[in-house]
Amino acid sequence: MADQATQPKAQAEPRGRRRVETGVVVSDKMNKTRRVEIPRLVKHPRYGKYIKRRTICHVHDEANEPHVGDTVEIMETRPLSKTKCWRLVRVVRKSALAPAVAAGVPETEQPAPTA
């Protein structure tokens, strides 16, 4: 009985497994938040044809690391805001769409036209 009193309640109860999903970043306009799309195929109940469906998740990212087109791995977490209940685990693959933007390289300035 004394052993139970000394242990914190959080350690005594094991928490459930958190879902881990892989998706593609579709928006990086918010600070510390990314919108990630998780595509899936669903079989139509009557016709049997597979239909594309998607789930949009708002993901917390402290470092603002991934950009549009990057493939990321996300994990379910406690609610962080009204819409955010996922957090970024890692960037699986960088996008080939905008390597200069992803690397943080500034755009080159064009020379002024001469008269």
Side-chain angles (χ1 to χ4, degrees), residues 24-80:
V24 178
V25 177
V26 292
S27 174
D28 62 353
K29 295 178 188 283
M30 295 173 276
N31 187 27
K32 298 185 180 181
T33 303
R34 300 291 183 254
R35 281 187 63 194
V36 176
E37 178 181 308
I38 303 170
R40 59 191 165 95
L41 290 175
V42 177
K43 192 172 185 177
H44 191 279
R46 175 174 286 175
Y47 301 112
K49 181 178 178 179
Y50 283 94
I51 306 166
K52 285 184 182 180
R53 296 287 185 214
R54 67 182 184 158
T55 303
I56 299 289
C57 301
H58 288 82
V59 179
H60 181 71
D61 173 31
E62 193 69 31
N64 289 327
E65 184 182 353
H67 297 283
V68 175
D70 293 352
T71 303
V72 295
E73 188 173 288
I74 60 176
M75 177 185 287
E76 195 173 28
T77 186
R78 65 181 177 82
L80 300 170

